[in-house]
Amino acid sequence: MTSGRHLNVTVWNENVHEQREASVRSIYPNGMHAPIVEGIRRELGDVDVRVATLDEPEHGLTDALLAATDVLTWWGHAAHDRVSDHVVARVHARVLDGMGIVVLHSGHHSKIFRRLMGTTCDLRWRSDPGGEREVIWTVNPGHPIAAGVPQPIVVPHDEMYGEFFDIPQPDELVFITSFEGGEVFRSGCCFVRGAGRIAYFSPGDQEYPVYHQPEIQRVIANCVRWCASTTSTNDSPARRQANAQRGWFSEGEPPARTH
Amino acid sequence: MTSGRHLNVTVWNENVHEQREASVRSIYPNGMHAPIVEGIRRELGDVDVRVATLDEPEHGLTDALLAATDVLTWWGHAAHDRVSDHVVARVHARVLDGMGIVVLHSGHHSKIFRRLMGTTCDLRWRSDPGGEREVIWTVNPGHPIAAGVPQPIVVPHDEMYGEFFDIPQPDELVFITSFEGGEVFRSGCCFVRGAGRIAYFSPGDQEYPVYHQPEIQRVIANCVRWCASTTSTNDSPARRQANAQRGWFSEGEPPARTH
Amino acid sequence: MTSGRHLNVTVWNENVHEQREASVRSIYPNGMHAPIVEGIRRELGDVDVRVATLDEPEHGLTDALLAATDVLTWWGHAAHDRVSDHVVARVHARVLDGMGIVVLHSGHHSKIFRRLMGTTCDLRWRSDPGGEREVIWTVNPGHPIAAGVPQPIVVPHDEMYGEFFDIPQPDELVFITSFEGGEVFRSGCCFVRGAGRIAYFSPGDQEYPVYHQPEIQRVIANCVRWCASTTSTNDSPARRQANAQRGWFSEGEPPARTH
Amino acid sequence: MTSGRHLNVTVWNENVHEQREASVRSIYPNGMHAPIVEGIRRELGDVDVRVATLDEPEHGLTDALLAATDVLTWWGHAAHDRVSDHVVARVHARVLDGMGIVVLHSGHHSKIFRRLMGTTCDLRWRSDPGGEREVIWTVNPGHPIAAGVPQPIVVPHDEMYGEFFDIPQPDELVFITSFEGGEVFRSGCCFVRGAGRIAYFSPGDQEYPVYHQPEIQRVIANCVRWCASTTSTNDSPARRQANAQRGWFSEGEPPARTH
């Protein structure tokens, strides 16, 4: 399975839990970004994947890097407030201009996701030791982000994320999850904002090896491919300004009316 | 809690299981329509509720009755194919013209719902003796059909309906259900078609006393009220035809252009 | 035509053009808010309408006022950047909690609308002397915000607002406008965010007597009524926190499983 | 510009006007399907395009052909009622199973489109001699069906199609048109039904050379590519039935609960 064109992907990881907690390090010795990168490479083939983390200058998200990125993936949890507002504004503008973004798990509370959604993005959660079984059902079976995954996907142990999840109604809802405790969650959500696409996929936590699971890696890769399937906008602010001054008609005169 | 205006509601019930099966009769001695009517009356106050059933001439759904009905509720299961195509076409036209319809449980496979949806409306199901626990979560907490219900609603015993449910993506998704077996279901779905509103609410089965449960009765009443909250269309076919001949401008001449 | 319950409405007006420009004052001698208030009172009947403006302390939008407001209408243009971020955050939180907001015309670029949308809310525009004819078509003829208006509504002279309008796809699109220059615009858009409802209605400019036009007043009143037709949320953060600690089941123990 | 995989496309044309009317034949000497085929070939590259018409046995739409078709395009007008119900049912089932369909212009009243939509698909129209200018605006500038087209597209002469267009709210609205007479129309609409995608694109009439216009050909090709961008469903009826009997879990036993 390959995408139709070469893609440049940037995998962003807060990379804090991995430094601090031995339990996380034992599951993700090379960082949570490692299996995410591995899955994207395996599933998408013709792709360049770079990694950027919180501690780099500008969190690794320079103007140059973003300009050269087709799709950015985002994992954060413990340090959302340490992400600079300036970088958030830059990512936000780039998404509206057409870059895709795949927001993962606790990224629901990141500054960038909340800014794109316009809501609190709060949810119900429970983190019992050992986690609980998550069952992920496809509710849009022809959607590209569900390509090649079983119905349902079962994650043996995950943290519970439950409704009400305070997001705008997704433009396309693809996955709904149930947890052993009886909760449900809209776990695969697609949004369009400006010329950009946003996918949110909730499974995955620093305490469980969810990102090593091949079906989960496949969905993330599918999200990357879907987020890249936009086109260059035909309506940039620059074009709009020109049009506002001279009218949209190209010859300076509106076409004649026939009656 | 009362609605803002007087409503005329018709509760349609296939009324077949109640005749045939003692187990159903013991739960619904006066027919499944009885507790549905009772709940609508209790919750909505200023309302006239009539009952119509399959065995009546024209299934009780005459032109005159439909013309006088603001909202129709629909329960069917064993005899979908005995509903006349002519009556289905009549109900369909009336919905597009502005009558609301609340489709309940196994009504997902009724001719009228499939015609309105344009899809198979197939779903996954399992009917174990005794049923299983259904937990109904609100995912749109300000929506009128969730008014006054707890988060979540728990139905102790119900038949499992699971995804993939082959419907168009709802215009508004209000409830998502989980079952003990781990399945999920979009159990409260709102659609607009023409000038009419359609609500689908899945809990309820002839084998369990679901329609006696006050929260379930409340949701059904909320659905009726929501389906009635439309307005007379400002764009009827009659108006359209007139406009096609003379243009939409009222004085026979288009307004002058300013440039 | 009356709403089903008593409503408290706050009409917010920047009220800057009216102070500065004689041309605006001649059209709106008592401020643009005056005909907006008049229309809401005439159409909704059982309603309390208060006015708040930019120059008041806290722009007139105190916590107490917002807590007592069912629906806020918003007109701003020349001084979006003078609205305090603190007040914007307060209005934003109140909308997500269930207060409705009706954003008018140039309010598309207000801080509150941009924050709720998560996009730039940029659009194409042209302001020729004298304006041009705007024709407003209903594309959802049963929708409450189109109640009682002709198909189409004609505004003889208005400022052109054209696509691409950088907003999320509306949850419900009700009006589309054409202008004499050939542009189109999604002029009546409905959104749900959190437990709150948002209506955007574009006709209306300080240079033209659009807000004196009865059909326009009616649509604004319809928007107010629609934005008020939510219910108290059944899923507040306070409830969520409690649930996170003890599980959603009310008796402290999950219901028994049947198999 | 090429699609990511080889596509099999069937272009269906009623092909009645071309036989009957010299005026149509002079514009489309090889049938309206000829420029549609030409545009798809030019834009998509790696594609097999076949033509099928009303007068062929089974209208050319055999089970074998449909099974081998990724995307079907549909043009009809004068003879909708001559299309057999049996063939319509076959196409309908194939769309829900994942075949794309691109419905063009007067195809809005075809049996297949009305069945998929569930509504009347009526619209306002006017056909003046010579037609009138149609201006097509992109309202979703990153959408694949708007790839590579100008903002706006201008069609010098076309038949007027205006709102209210009685369709379900599109899952994605991409183009809105204005006409010289002041009407507007949702001219580029995307729907998902089952595992299939449906695009409706309104420009084009037998009386005008619209299908020879390169931008229009490009949009149709874009629609074909978008409709093909689904995946094999992971939830077929066959799988569902199996699951209903044994539960969705693969080992015959549900995973143990952790609490």
Side-chain angles (χ1 to χ4, degrees), chain C residues 48-123:
Chain C
D48 275 325
V49 190
R50 274 160 292 190
V51 170
T53 59
L54 182 69
D55 283 340
E56 298 175 51
E58 305 183 57
H59 315 315
L61 300 172
T62 60
D63 275 323
L65 183 83
L66 291 175
T69 295
D70 295 307
V71 181
L72 175 69
T73 74
W74 193 277
W75 200 100
H77 178 236
H80 291 317
D81 59 349
R82 288 175 48 205
V83 177
S84 107
D85 289 342
H86 186 69
V87 170
V88 170
R90 182 189 287 168
V91 174
H92 182 250
R94 184 71 185 94
V95 170
L96 299 183
D97 191 48
M99 181 183 75
I101 185 166
V102 181
V103 177
L104 296 169
H105 192 61
S106 46
H108 75 92
H109 256 175
S110 61
K111 288 180 179 178
I112 181 62
F113 190 60
R114 295 169 77 166
R115 180 152 180 184
L116 283 163
M117 295 294 104
T119 55
T120 65
C121 303
D122 286 348
L123 47 76

Side-chain angles (χ1 to χ4, degrees), chain D residues 66-122:
Chain D
L66 290 176
T69 295
D70 295 306
V71 181
L72 175 69
T73 74
W74 193 278
W75 200 100
H77 178 235
H80 290 318
D81 59 349
R82 288 176 45 206
V83 177
S84 107
D85 289 343
H86 185 68
V87 169
V88 170
R90 183 190 286 168
V91 175
H92 182 249
R94 183 73 185 92
V95 170
L96 298 183
D97 190 47
M99 181 182 74
I101 186 166
V102 181
V103 177
L104 296 170
H105 191 61
S106 46
H108 74 93
H109 256 175
S110 62
K111 288 180 179 178
I112 181 61
F113 190 59
R114 294 169 76 165
R115 179 150 181 186
L116 283 162
M117 295 294 103
T119 54
T120 64
C121 302
D122 287 348

Side-chain angles (χ1 to χ4, degrees), chain A residues 52-216:
Chain A
T53 59
L54 180 69
D55 283 340
E56 298 176 51
E58 305 182 57
H59 315 315
L61 300 172
T62 61
D63 276 322
L65 183 83
L66 290 175
T69 296
D70 296 306
V71 181
L72 176 69
T73 73
W74 193 277
W75 200 99
H77 177 236
H80 291 318
D81 59 348
R82 287 176 46 206
V83 177
S84 107
D85 289 342
H86 186 69
V87 170
V88 170
R90 182 189 288 168
V91 174
H92 182 250
R94 183 72 185 92
V95 170
L96 299 183
D97 191 48
M99 182 183 73
I101 185 166
V102 180
V103 177
L104 297 169
H105 191 61
S106 46
H108 75 92
H109 256 174
S110 62
K111 288 180 179 178
I112 181 62
F113 190 60
R114 295 169 76 166
R115 179 150 181 185
L116 283 162
M117 296 294 103
T119 54
T120 64
C121 303
D122 286 348
L123 46 76
R124 178 179 261 102
W125 63 277
R126 174 178 56 237
S127 197
D128 287 344
E132 60 196 281
R133 190 196 67 208
E134 173 173 9
V135 185
I136 304 163
W137 294 90
T138 300
V139 300
N140 188 338
H143 198 281
I145 77 170
V149 299
Q151 173 78 311
I153 305 170
V154 181
V155 174
H157 304 277
D158 205 350
E159 182 186 43
M160 188 283 285
Y161 273 17
E163 298 282 348
F164 171 59
F165 181 22
D166 182 19
I167 51 170
Q169 178 160 297
D171 293 304
E172 298 181 294
L173 178 61
V174 184
F175 297 118
I176 298 176
T177 275
S178 74
F179 286 93
E180 276 182 280
E183 291 87 357
V184 298
F185 195 67
R186 289 170 290 174
S187 48
C189 300
C190 295
F191 304 90
V192 176
R193 292 296 183 269
R197 290 182 175 188
I198 303 156
Y200 174 77
F201 186 56
S202 63
D205 186 84
Q206 70 277 5
E207 302 286 351
Y208 310 102
V210 178
Y211 292 125
H212 291 295
Q213 193 170 331
E215 300 98 317
I216 299 299

